[in-house]
Amino acid sequence: MSDTRRRLRARRILVTGATGYVGSRLVPCLLDEGLTVRVAGRSGERLRARPWSDEVEIAVTDLDDRAAVRRALADVDAVVFLVHAMAGGRGFQEREARMARIMAEEAQRAGVGRIVYLSGLHPRSQELSEHMASRERVAQILRDGEVPTLVLEAATVIGAGSASFEIIRHLAERLPVMPAPSWVLNRIEPVAITDVLHHLTRAVAVPEPVAGTYGLGSGERDLRFADLLEKYAQEAGLPRRRVFALPLPAPLLSGLWIGLVTPVPLAIAVPLAQSMRHEAITHRPLAEEVLGSPPGGPLPYRRAVRAALEAQKSGDLASSWDDDTAAARGPEAPLPEDPDWAGHTVFTDVRERRAEGVDPARIWQVIEGIGGASGWYSTPLLWSLRGLADRLVGGPGLRRGRRDPWHLREGDAVDWWRVERVEPGQLLTLRAEMRMTGRAWLQLGVEGIDAADGADGADGAEGAGEVEGIGGAVYRQRAVYFPDGLLGRLYWWGISPFHALVFPSMARNIIAAARRQGSERGAQDAEASGLTGGRSALRRRAGRRRGIRRRGHR
């Protein structure tokens, strides 16, 4: 271990708000830097559920509790303060101020070397919204303390899962023509989440503490919120978005508008809308002047949007049945612990059926042989009509069939699907190549269950004809659709009634086909066993007759 690495390892960093959007992404960056990390939060269960939980020290702490904060600060060199009570309802300003005072006082008592606080960009000579005024009050309390404090100010953080970015995403994807509050014409300087993490990491890793207030941004100071919407649409491949500013300055009305159009909760949408009525652009001094620029310099807005979209739309689905996020796990991508409104819109149709007494290998045979001459095990007429419609608009329809009737490999064509992944005996992932306003996958999987577990939850229609010695299987089926814009959403809603007919019968018929194969094989085995037994009996009788004849000759 190098001397620098050893020196950093000896320093302990306390991250408050470690389960939040920025905190959950910052912890791995600090660990990669070689720092010892302690995370603080009110829920030990949520902290222990994070993928980095085994690499950090966990301090279950309510920042309103002075004694708990004192314990969390023991032997800490630096604090990254990422907590706010914005979604806590009325009185959040006083709660935030009280937490800041306790932190400043207890950090001094504990001999903490520095505090780093992430605040919001705001104008210096203007009455601020409640949300932004509270952020500035917290910053002032921390600056007034005895511990050297660095305040980093950022406006709209660009990365999947960030509340501001999700507002941009959902507005741009849902509204081709957008009547919007007047603040969409305000200038706002975005910053990529990767740049935020770079500066926060540098702020605690540099040998000497840096104090003062510094701006974080992309350097693009002439962008307006309406520009962010239009440029997002361009990067997402959507048609041009037209934004019309209306005289709706009231923060509550603006927040209600965001809450109605996007899935962002009102408790977050309203204070954010209050803040958006202010221009938010950086002025000197800038963070890179004291902490250094990120590699390659600040990331421009469009490149940050592109990185977020590519990270979550890699064309690959996670194999896990309880994780709809993309396989990418960079800071630009949504993480499993992000709110359910974070990340791109995903529509799913999930089916699961237990098949007692059916060998999982039989179900896998049916799954791997799906499509082509075998068909899709449900409503052939609807499949044929959808295939015809696809061909009429230039798609492949159902005419491609498949290369091999029984076996699949990655890259094979199966009617209008392409095999994206095969996990033999377990999971088949098909990516749709039909014409549609979005991207779609179909996953078919099977898992064996023990004989002792097979008695619970049995489907009566599938309980006959058990195979001796086999507990059974769980069949899982998932259709996943990423819509493109409003038309993509309309497409999914339009075909949902057909899914309600197609997918349940598909799951049922795949299991029935596997059961028939097992029964036919069993009958063949029994017949073969009977023939063998009959021949053996004839041989035994013939042997007895030969023995009688031999005894007669004697």
Side-chain angles (χ1 to χ4, degrees):
M1 182 183 294
S2 67
D3 290 342
T4 301
R5 194 80 173 176
R6 190 177 294 108
R7 176 180 56 81
L8 290 172
R9 188 65 183 167
R11 296 177 54 194
R12 179 174 283 103
I13 312 301
L14 176 67
V15 179
T16 67
T19 59
Y21 174 73
V22 175
S24 61
R25 290 158 170 80
L26 176 62
V27 170
C29 296
L30 299 179
L31 292 171
D32 288 344
E33 195 72 16
L35 294 157
T36 297
V37 179
R38 179 179 294 166
V39 295
R42 286 181 297 179
S43 171
E45 183 178 351
R46 290 185 65 193
L47 290 169
R48 284 186 286 272
R50 296 303 186 265
W52 35 252
S53 62
D54 292 339
E55 303 176 66
V56 302
E57 301 171 0
I58 293 177
V60 179
T61 308
D62 187 334
L63 296 185
D64 265 337
D65 183 340
R66 185 177 292 272
V69 172
R70 186 173 300 171
R71 290 191 296 271
L73 287 170
D75 301 319
V76 164
D77 180 78
V79 174
V80 183
F81 197 73
L82 299 173
V83 173
H84 60 78
M86 180 175 66
R90 291 184 177 182
F92 74 88
Q93 304 98 319
E94 288 306 318
R95 285 195 296 277
E96 289 188 347
R98 184 167 59 252
M99 290 188 293
R101 281 193 293 270
I102 291 174
M103 179 57 68
E105 294 165 2
E106 292 303 324
Q108 179 186 355
R109 181 193 297 268
V112 171
R114 69 189 81 178
I115 296 174
V116 179
Y117 174 56
L118 182 62
S119 186
L121 269 175
H122 57 82
R124 295 291 181 249
S125 58
Q126 188 176 339
E127 183 180 353
L128 301 177
S129 67
E130 289 183 352
H131 164 54
M132 197 55 66
S134 182
R135 290 289 185 93
E136 178 56 27
R137 185 181 180 189
V138 167
Q140 192 60 51
I141 291 170
L142 295 175
R143 282 191 298 253
D144 289 344
E146 297 297 322
V147 178
T149 296
L150 172 64
V151 177
L152 298 175
E153 295 182 338
T156 299
V157 177
I158 305 303
S162 152
S164 299
F165 181 71
E166 294 306 324
I167 288 173
I168 293 170
R169 177 208 302 279
H170 290 294
L171 288 177
E173 291 188 350
R174 295 180 180 207
L175 297 178
V177 178
M178 201 177 312
S182 56
W183 48 252
V184 298
L185 298 182
N186 289 343
R187 289 187 299 167
I188 186 165
E189 185 177 348
V191 60
I193 180 60
T194 50
D195 292 351
V196 174
L197 297 176
H198 165 82
H199 286 105
L200 288 173
T201 302
R202 292 287 300 157
V204 296
V206 292
E208 297 298 325
V210 177
T213 300
Y214 298 87
L216 292 177
S218 65
E220 301 163 287
R221 298 181 180 87
D222 294 327
L223 292 176
R224 303 180 186 276
F225 192 84
D227 298 326
L228 303 187
L229 296 170
E230 293 172 358
K231 292 179 185 299
Y232 174 90
Q234 293 169 14
E235 287 298 327
L238 300 172
R240 182 182 177 186
R241 265 40 185 166
R242 299 181 182 276
V243 183
F244 300 98
L246 301 178
L248 295 174
L252 180 58
L253 289 177
S254 298
L256 290 173
W257 176 73
I258 292 173
L260 287 173
V261 177
T262 78
V264 177
L266 278 177
I268 295 175
V270 171
L272 282 179
Q274 289 178 335
S275 302
M276 288 175 180
R277 74 187 190 197
H278 305 304
E279 287 200 333
I281 56 175
T282 57
H283 300 282
R284 300 180 72 90
L286 303 177
E288 53 257 38
E289 296 174 13
V290 290
L291 298 174
S293 293
L299 198 63
Y301 173 68
R302 288 189 61 158
R303 284 178 55 194
V305 170
R306 194 179 312 149
L309 294 176
E310 288 174 354
Q312 68 188 92
K313 291 187 176 182
S314 62
D316 186 21
L317 290 184
S319 298
S320 171
W321 290 91
D322 57 2
D323 180 6
D324 284 336
T325 61
R329 286 289 178 265
E332 312 92 340
L335 301 181
E337 59 265 24
D338 286 340
D340 56 8
W341 43 265
H344 58 80
T345 300
V346 180
F347 293 116
T348 60
D349 185 293
V350 180
R351 310 284 168 172
E352 180 174 307
R353 295 178 73 88
R354 294 171 69 92
E356 269 52 329
V358 179
D359 187 345
R362 299 286 182 208
I363 296 179
W364 176 252
Q365 277 186 310
V366 178
I367 290 174
E368 195 174 8
I370 202 165
S374 298
W376 295 90
Y377 295 93
S378 65
T379 55
L381 178 60
L382 291 180
W383 283 90
S384 297
L385 290 175
R386 182 62 182 90
L388 177 60
D390 189 53
R391 290 185 63 180
L392 290 175
V393 295
L398 296 175
R399 60 185 170 182
R400 293 193 304 194
R402 45 181 292 160
R403 173 189 61 85
D404 183 314
W406 305 117
H407 303 288
L408 291 175
R409 61 187 181 191
E410 293 182 8
D412 280 356
V414 182
D415 294 330
W416 62 53
W417 305 93
R418 180 75 57 182
V419 178
E420 187 166 273
R421 178 184 297 173
V422 182
E423 298 178 23
Q426 300 178 54
L427 182 69
L428 172 65
T429 301
L430 302 172
R431 184 181 70 251
E433 293 185 338
M434 68 185 84
R435 295 296 181 91
M436 63 175 71
T437 50
R439 299 181 306 132
W441 290 263
L442 180 64
Q443 285 187 317
L444 310 175
V446 63
E447 179 184 357
I449 54 177
D450 296 334
D453 299 331
D456 297 330
D459 188 326
E462 295 167 5
E466 289 83 351
V467 179
E468 184 179 355
I470 296 176
V474 176
Y475 168 79
R476 297 188 178 100
Q477 174 182 298
R478 180 172 68 159
V480 181
Y481 179 62
F482 294 172
D484 285 343
L486 180 61
L487 288 178
R489 288 165 171 79
L490 293 175
Y491 170 81
W492 177 266
W493 295 329
I495 64 173
S496 290
F498 299 99
H499 287 172
L501 295 174
V502 169
F503 289 138
S505 61
M506 184 176 179
R508 186 170 55 249
N509 292 337
I510 283 176
I511 292 176
R515 190 179 298 283
R516 282 195 304 272
Q517 286 186 6
S519 298
E520 291 168 0
R521 178 63 182 269
Q524 291 171 0
D525 291 345
E527 181 180 354
S529 177
L531 289 172
T532 302
R535 293 191 187 99
S536 298
L538 288 172
R539 283 196 294 269
R540 285 194 298 272
R541 285 196 293 271
R544 284 196 295 270
R545 285 195 296 271
R546 285 195 297 271
I548 292 170
R549 284 196 295 271
R550 291 192 192 99
R551 286 194 296 272
H553 288 303
R554 289 194 189 97

